[in-house]
Amino acid sequence: MKSNTINTHIIWATCLFISTAASASVYQCEKNGVVEFSQLPCGEDAKLITIKEQNPFLSNAVQGKSTESVYSQTTGQVDSYIRTKQIAAEIAEHNNKIDTFKLRMNNEIAALNNQSDAQLQNLVGAKKQAAIAKQMSAVSERYAVLIDNEQRSIDRLIAENNRISNSFNELSNNDEVDSFIRSKQIMQQIAEHENKIDTYNEQLNQQISLLEKQVSHKPNNLAAANSDQALVDKMSALTSRFNTLISVEQRQIDRLRNELSQL
């Protein structure tokens, strides 16, 4: 039923495109998560949108094309527009999952860290500390894999979106202004991600410094030696955790810089 509704609105949008001289204006609504288009307002949240497109009937480049060809071209543009909106929503979902994984990782490691700090300074406690430190490393590695899977999905979606954009790359009069505004936005976003990386590095250094002060360096018994090893393992676990967090921000920076280079 939803598929028929979308197809019906695509036909309406296509007819409207064909009858417009320089651009097509349609109403966009979202019902139960499904994007719909209509010649008339299709709901209280209806948004009037304009998809710039040279009229196929007036273009010298396509004169002589059949109505079927024009219909296929305009329908394809509406399909592409819908897909770009779906891609944006899917990317947002993956980013939300990444945020959730980061939060869970931080909470689990914080809980393990509290357990480790509560251990008595004896052989049993030192061994328990070492075991907890290994758990912390395992938690970081597990969430790093989950986050990386989401990152790869985002990269695939961005690549698909770029292919769609390249298929409809006719320039408008406002493209130069739009590119300038977007470049400024990108630079601001890059600065925000870089600030997060600086914060993570600072937090990592502070926490490592605190752990280093606890290391005896010259353990005088087996318990102290095991405790020192547990602290070293904990340092590795913390480093792994912050590397995962930094990697998320760096991936975003790389994507933004790539987009900036294409403007």
Side-chain angles (χ1 to χ4, degrees), residues 139-154:
V139 168
S140 294
E141 291 170 5
R142 175 163 57 90
Y143 281 106
V145 171
L146 294 172
I147 288 172
D148 194 52
N149 286 337
E150 300 302 322
Q151 297 278 26
R152 286 198 294 270
S153 295
I154 291 173

Side-chain angles (χ1 to χ4, degrees), residues 13-213:
T14 301
C15 293
L16 186 60
F17 283 170
I18 294 175
S19 65
T20 305
S23 62
S25 295
V26 295
Y27 287 94
Q28 173 190 327
C29 298
E30 193 169 317
K31 297 180 180 179
N32 299 321
V34 179
V35 177
E36 297 183 3
F37 294 87
S38 175
Q39 187 177 7
L40 301 174
C42 41
E44 294 181 358
D45 62 340
K47 298 178 182 178
L48 181 63
I49 60 174
T50 299
I51 304 176
K52 297 181 178 66
E53 180 188 35
Q54 188 177 12
N55 190 318
F57 289 116
L58 300 180
S59 171
N60 292 330
V62 296
Q63 277 188 359
K65 281 189 176 182
S66 66
T67 302
E68 275 187 24
S69 176
V70 172
Y71 175 84
S72 176
Q73 179 181 341
T74 52
T75 301
Q77 186 158 354
V78 175
D79 289 341
S80 295
Y81 179 83
I82 294 173
R83 180 55 188 150
T84 59
K85 294 300 182 183
Q86 292 172 337
I87 287 173
E90 289 172 22
I91 289 175
E93 289 177 4
H94 288 297
N95 278 321
N96 287 337
K97 285 186 179 179
I98 289 173
D99 289 339
T100 299
F101 289 145
K102 285 162 55 181
L103 180 61
R104 289 179 180 174
M105 178 181 68
N106 289 335
N107 288 341
E108 289 183 29
I109 288 179
L112 289 169
N113 195 42
N114 289 336
Q115 289 182 41
S116 179
D117 291 342
Q119 297 305 311
L120 297 175
Q121 293 301 313
N122 54 39
L123 184 57
V124 174
K127 288 183 177 180
K128 181 64 175 177
Q129 268 194 330
I132 291 173
K134 286 181 171 57
Q135 281 183 270
M136 291 169 66
S137 293
V139 168
S140 294
E141 291 170 5
R142 175 163 57 90
Y143 281 106
V145 171
L146 294 172
I147 288 172
D148 194 52
N149 286 337
E150 300 302 322
Q151 297 278 26
R152 286 198 294 270
S153 295
I154 291 173
D155 287 337
R156 285 194 293 269
L157 288 166
I158 289 175
E160 179 185 353
N161 193 65
N162 289 340
R163 288 194 296 272
I164 293 173
S165 298
N166 291 336
S167 298
F168 297 94
N169 59 357
E170 293 182 4
L171 298 178
S172 69
N173 293 332
N174 294 325
D175 271 343
E176 188 174 346
V177 175
D178 292 342
S179 295
F180 176 79
I181 293 173
R182 180 55 187 152
S183 68
K184 293 299 182 183
Q185 292 173 337
I186 289 175
M187 292 170 66
Q188 177 63 34
Q189 290 169 1
I190 288 175
E192 291 172 359
H193 289 296
E194 289 177 337
N195 287 338
K196 285 187 179 180
I197 290 177
D198 290 341
T199 299
Y200 288 143
N201 279 321
E202 183 178 350
Q203 291 175 348
L204 173 60
N205 291 334
Q206 289 175 349
Q207 294 186 33
I208 292 295
S209 294
L210 289 174
L211 291 174
E212 286 177 340
K213 291 177 181 178

